[in-house]
Amino acid sequence: MNNFTTSLTRNFRKLGALTLFSMGTLLVQSCSKNEVQQQEVAFLNITNTSPTTGTFNIYVDQTKTNTQGAVDFGGTLGYMRLTPGNHSVKFTTASSTESLITKNVTLEANTANSLFLIDRGTNLDFLTIKDELGNVTSTKAFIRFINLSPGAPAFNLAVKDGNVIVSDKAYKASSAFIEVEAKSYVLEIKDKATSETKVTLESFEFKAGKSYTVIATGLLEPSDAERSLGSKIITNQ
């Protein structure tokens, strides 16, 4: 099982954006005659869930964004600040600038968004989702579930020996952020049709006011150069 945990909180703190997204407010302050209205922004987080052993460089508008080396399976860049509108996103191998896939992504003003590199080979693609994050002042935690395992059946996300949190998510399907009690859970990814447990995650503490993305990753029947079925947890805020 491949388990990854990535914290993105520090990126939002640096940008002062926690309240912006959790409360759904606009990044525009009231201003007097002598004040200038703040420029609208959008945020984009990029994660590699392509189930291979390959590593990638990522370019946004022709600028390389991964500064700490090529991004491997499960790697997340964290939220970057961009202007609203269209942006070109390109993935290359670690040793080349030739595009493996390049697509335009449209970002709305004052939103947080996640882009996932999915599948492999000729099926390599992007999945982009708007992040409707939970309320940072809440006493609850917020969890969403995304099935990014190519060829997998519909999955449920459940608490071990407990209730289903998110049900019936086919490949590329995502839930909204679901409110849960803030505490530690052992989560399981289950086959929706058979209730068979496919992945058991390690115990993880979901904290009050924070939003988390749980992802089913990898392949049920991988080759030697591919990643097996596993999971990833992203701390969005």
Side-chain angles (χ1 to χ4, degrees):
M1 178 179 69
N2 297 307
N3 288 309
F4 304 89
T5 304
T6 304
S7 174
L8 305 179
T9 304
R10 61 183 181 275
N11 300 290
F12 275 94
R13 286 176 176 168
K14 288 179 181 179
L15 299 171
L18 282 172
T19 303
L20 166 66
F21 296 118
S22 62
M23 302 301 291
T25 57
L26 295 178
L27 215 172
V28 178
Q29 298 179 344
S30 58
C31 49
S32 67
K33 293 180 181 179
N34 297 323
E35 290 179 323
V36 178
Q37 182 172 299
Q38 291 188 359
Q39 182 180 7
E40 292 182 325
V41 298
F43 293 87
L44 181 66
N45 168 38
I46 301 177
T47 302
N48 171 24
T49 63
S50 178
T52 71
T53 57
T55 58
F56 302 93
N57 290 328
I58 305 172
Y59 296 80
V60 176
D61 298 328
Q62 306 305 314
T63 299
K64 184 179 174 182
T65 57
N66 52 298
T67 58
Q68 303 299 319
V71 180
D72 61 2
F73 178 65
T76 299
L77 292 186
Y79 287 99
M80 63 190 75
R81 180 174 180 149
L82 299 170
T83 58
N86 292 324
H87 295 274
S88 172
V89 179
K90 179 177 74 170
F91 282 76
T92 73
T93 65
S95 59
S96 173
T97 59
E98 183 177 352
S99 172
L100 295 173
I101 180 172
T102 302
K103 296 178 72 173
N104 285 330
V105 176
T106 301
L107 305 178
E108 296 179 10
N110 310 308
T111 61
N113 307 269
S114 289
L115 184 151
F116 302 94
L117 181 68
I118 60 174
D119 221 317
R120 71 280 194 213
T122 58
N123 293 321
L124 199 65
D125 202 358
F126 295 168
L127 178 68
T128 306
I129 301 173
K130 186 184 295 185
D131 299 337
E132 302 288 354
L133 305 177
N135 187 339
V136 294
T137 65
S138 176
T139 59
K140 308 293 186 180
F142 302 88
I143 299 174
R144 72 174 171 187
F145 176 57
I146 309 175
N147 180 356
L148 295 183
S149 174
F155 285 141
N156 293 343
L157 180 69
V159 178
K160 185 177 182 180
D161 301 320
N163 296 329
V164 172
I165 298 175
V166 177
S167 64
D168 197 13
K169 291 304 171 189
Y171 177 52
K172 296 193 288 188
S174 172
S175 73
F177 283 94
I178 307 298
E179 184 180 88
V180 298
E181 294 295 327
K183 61 180 183 179
S184 294
Y185 294 92
V186 175
L187 298 179
E188 295 181 329
I189 297 172
K190 294 175 171 284
D191 186 312
K192 191 263 183 184
T194 66
S195 296
E196 179 185 359
T197 298
K198 295 297 186 180
V199 179
T200 299
L201 286 72
E202 295 180 1
S203 179
F204 187 89
E205 182 182 3
F206 295 89
K207 297 181 179 180
K210 294 189 176 295
S211 298
Y212 303 87
T213 300
V214 180
I215 308 171
T217 61
L219 300 167
L220 286 169
E221 298 180 357
S223 69
D224 291 341
E226 295 175 332
R227 304 286 187 165
S228 60
L229 184 66
S231 64
K232 173 182 175 64
I233 298 177
I234 296 174
T235 304
N236 294 92
Q237 70 172 18

